[in-house]
Amino acid sequence: LYQSGLEMKSTRLKAGVLTLHIEINKISQDDDAYIFFVTTQRPKTENPSYFPIIHLAQLVSDDTKKLLSLHSNRLGVKITPSQISELSEYISGYPPSVYFAVQQAKNYGIDLLMGDKLKLVQFRTAFFLKHLKKFQIDDKQSTVLKILAIYSPLPIIVISESLNYSLEDMYDILYKFIDLSLIVLTEEGNYAIAAPIISAVHNVFNYPSNEEHSNVTKSLMSYLDKNNDEKRLELSRVLYRAATFSNNIHAKSMSVHLASDLIRLTESFYHDRRYKESIKCGYESLELRPENTTARSYLIRSLIQEEQWESAYNQLEILKKYDRLREIYFLKGFLERKKGNLIEATKFFEESEHQGKKGAALDRELANCYLLIGKFDEAKKYIEEAVKKHGDNPFLIDLLAQIAIKVGDQDLANEALDRLEFIDNPSRYYHRRSTAELSFGLYEKARASALNAINIEKRPSFEFIVQLAQCEIKLGNINEAEEAINKLDSEFRHIRHDIRIGLRCRIELMKARYSEVLNLCERLRDKEGFHYKDIKLNALRGELQSPSLSDELRSKYYLESEKINNELNHHSYSHNYWY
C-alpha cells in the first residue's frame, strides 16, 4: 500500500476494531500493484472516473436459485427444485444466506432447514440490524425505508406524494440510500428497497401507519390512472397490497394479484398483529392454493390469536393432509397454550420435538410452558440451552429475561435486557424492561418504560396496554389505570376476557368496593386459577370488615375465605397465568 502511494490520514480504535481513514485519490497508478476495496457504500472521490466502480446488487430470484443449486451440489447436499424455490424467498438475494442455508442443510439435514426457515431471516436480519444502526437515519428517511419495505418498487412521485415530502427532499434521501446500498433503482426507473434489509427495517422502524397505507394507495392509484408504464402489472400488484392493507375496496378491484401476493400478505398481517386481515387473506389465498402450508399455518395462528378455537381446530384437520405431523403437533401446542391448557400444550410441543421438529420457535414454546406452569428451574435450564444455539434470536432472549425476572435473578435479567436492546424492536425492549422494573419494585421506572413502548408502537399490543395498567395500579393511579383498561375493552373486546375483568377487579379493590369485586368475580371464566382466588379472598376479607354485613353473610364469607386461603397455601399456582 505504501509503495502504491496510499496515504493513511488517521487511525482509531473503536469497539476493538481498527478503523483506517484513507484518501484513495492519492493512490498512484502502478501496473504491478492492484488494490481492491470492498465497501458497503459508494466511495466518495473527487474524480469518480479515476477508479472503476462495480456495484454488486442483491441477487435476483433466478440467480439466488442458481447459487443455491451450485453450492449444494458442491457440498453434496441434495435439495430439490421446489425446496430451492421456497428457500430463495427467505434468502432475499443475500449471498451469505445461501452459504448459511446449505451449511445448515449439511449439518442438520434439509428437513430441519425447511421446517425452520425463519432461521435464514434471523441470520441476515442480525447483520443488517447492526448495519442500519451505524447510519444516522432521521424520521423522514426512516419513513421512506418503512414504506418501501412494504411497497416496492414505487415511482419517486408516488413516494413523494404519499409522504407529503418535496421532491428536493426525496432527491437527498434517495441519493443517500442508493449510495448506502439500502435502495436500488429498477430498470424501469422506479425505486425499491434492497431485499436483504427488509426484515431489519421492520425490526428497527416498524410498519407504516394506517394513514400511510391509505396515502400510498391513493397516490399509486392516481399514478396508474395517468401513466401507462411497461411494468404496469408490477405496480398494480403493489397497489393490491396497499389496497388490502388500507382496506380500500375500490382500489383493490382495479388492481391485479397473484396467489403468492396473498400468501405473503397473510404472513405480513400476522407479523404486524393484524390478525383479522391475516385471516381474510389466508382464506382468499387458500381458495387459490388449498395445498399451501404457509398460508394455512399463518391462518391457523391468526385464528388462535383471535380465539376462534373451533375454526382453528377445523383448519388443523385440513392441514394434516398437507403438512408433517411435527408441524401439526406444534400448532396444537400453540393453540392449547393460548387457551391456557398448559399441561396439554407441553405434551404437544414435546411430541412435536419427538417427531423431529427443531429450532428456536419450539425451544421458546417449551421453555414458555415450563415458565407458565411454575417450573422455573426447568424453564431456565431449557432456555439457556436454546440461547447457546440461537443467541441472536430476540424471542429467546426475551423469554430468558422473563424467566430471570420470575426467579428473581436481577443480574441475569439485566444481562438479557442489554442483549435485547441491541437485537429486538425498541417497543418490545421497553415492554420487557417495564416488566422487569415492575417485578423488582421500580414502579415509576416501569411506568416510564411501559409508556415508551406504547408511544413507539403505532398499534400497541394487548400485552403492552396490560403492562401499563398494572404499573398504574401499583402506583395507585386509579384514573390512568381505568383509562388503560377502557382501551383494552374498546380495542380487544373479543379476547382475553379474564385478564380484562381481573384488572377491573383490581381497580375496585383499590376503591374498597368489595361487593362490586365479588360481582365481577362471577363473570370470570377460570375459577380455579390463582388470580381468581386471590382477588376473591381480598374481596371477602374486605366485606368482612363491614359493620353492616348480616350475620348470615358474615358466616358465609368467613367460611369461604378460610377455604380459599387454605387452597392458596396448600396448592402450587402459576402467578403468571393471566399476564
Side-chain angles (χ1 to χ4, degrees), residues 111-112 115 324-331 352 355-357:
D111 286 342
L112 289 188
R324 295 179 174 88
L325 272 176
R326 62 186 180 220
E327 302 302 328
I328 305 301
Y329 282 121
F330 177 81
L331 288 172
S352 175
Q355 292 287 336
K357 187 171 178 63

Side-chain angles (χ1 to χ4, degrees), residues 537 541 557-567:
L537 179 60
R541 285 173 171 173
Y557 286 173
Y558 176 77
L559 292 173
E560 193 170 0
S561 66
E562 285 296 298
K563 178 177 180 289
I564 294 174
N565 188 51
N566 286 331
E567 289 174 346

Side-chain angles (χ1 to χ4, degrees), residues 150-166:
I150 294 284
Y151 304 116
S152 280
L154 285 176
I156 186 173
I157 190 65
V158 171
I159 307 172
S160 173
E161 288 178 356
S162 300
L163 302 178
N164 198 24
Y165 293 175
S166 69

Side-chain angles (χ1 to χ4, degrees), residues 67-190:
L67 185 57
L68 262 172
S69 179
L70 286 168
H71 193 53
S72 60
N73 287 336
R74 188 179 296 125
L75 293 187
V77 178
K78 292 182 179 180
I79 306 180
T80 67
S82 63
Q83 289 170 334
I84 285 175
S85 295
E86 194 171 345
L87 287 172
S88 68
E89 293 186 19
Y90 289 81
I91 287 166
S92 294
Y94 183 48
S97 285
V98 172
Y99 296 94
F100 176 74
V102 176
Q103 196 62 51
Q104 287 289 106
K106 183 177 178 65
N107 292 339
Y108 301 104
I110 186 63
D111 286 342
L112 289 188
L113 176 64
M114 298 304 295
D116 191 18
K117 296 185 287 295
L118 188 61
K119 191 179 287 291
L120 299 176
V121 178
Q122 293 164 350
F123 173 79
R124 59 180 162 80
T125 300
F127 171 79
F128 285 109
L129 277 173
K130 302 173 190 174
H131 189 59
L132 280 176
K133 289 177 179 178
K134 289 190 302 185
F135 307 125
Q136 294 181 339
I137 297 177
D138 61 30
D139 289 343
K140 272 193 170 183
Q141 295 165 351
S142 66
T143 304
V144 172
L145 288 178
K146 187 168 61 175
I147 290 296
L148 286 175
I150 294 284
Y151 304 116
S152 280
L154 285 176
I156 186 173
I157 190 65
V158 171
I159 307 172
S160 173
E161 288 178 356
S162 300
L163 302 178
N164 198 24
Y165 293 175
S166 69
L167 283 174
E168 288 72 21
D169 284 343
M170 285 304 308
Y171 297 151
D172 291 340
I173 292 170
L174 291 174
Y175 271 125
K176 173 179 179 175
F177 284 155
I178 290 172
D179 284 347
L180 293 176
S181 300
L182 301 180
I183 287 177
V184 296
L185 180 68
T186 67
E187 292 180 2
E188 294 74 32
N190 297 320

Side-chain angles (χ1 to χ4, degrees), residues 31 50 54 61 63-64 95 146 165 183 186 198 228 232 307 368 385 390 413 441 454 501 522 556:
D31 290 340
Y50 189 76
I54 301 173
S61 179
D63 288 341
T64 301
K146 187 168 61 175
Y165 293 175
I183 287 177
T186 67
I198 290 175
N228 188 21
R232 187 179 180 88
E307 299 186 4
N368 196 24
E385 282 299 314
H390 316 285
I454 285 175
I501 298 298
E522 293 309 307
K556 176 184 175 184

Side-chain angles (χ1 to χ4, degrees), residues 10-102:
S10 64
T11 64
R12 63 191 174 101
L13 191 65
K14 182 179 181 183
V17 178
L18 186 65
T19 304
L20 303 180
H21 296 265
I22 57 178
E23 293 187 38
I24 61 176
N25 286 320
K26 294 189 177 180
I27 300 176
S28 62
Q29 293 188 9
D30 189 325
D31 290 340
D32 296 323
Y34 296 90
I35 299 175
F36 299 88
F37 292 95
V38 180
T39 174
T40 56
Q41 59 191 56
R42 187 183 297 277
K44 294 180 179 178
T45 66
E46 295 175 5
N47 182 8
S49 62
Y50 189 76
F51 291 100
I53 297 174
I54 301 173
H55 178 236
L56 298 178
Q58 66 197 43
L59 295 177
V60 298
S61 179
D62 286 346
D63 288 341
T64 301
K65 294 173 186 176
K66 288 176 185 175
L67 185 57
L68 262 172
S69 179
L70 286 168
H71 193 53
S72 60
N73 287 336
R74 188 179 296 125
L75 293 187
V77 178
K78 292 182 179 180
I79 306 180
T80 67
S82 63
Q83 289 170 334
I84 285 175
S85 295
E86 194 171 345
L87 287 172
S88 68
E89 293 186 19
Y90 289 81
I91 287 166
S92 294
Y94 183 48
S97 285
V98 172
Y99 296 94
F100 176 74
V102 176

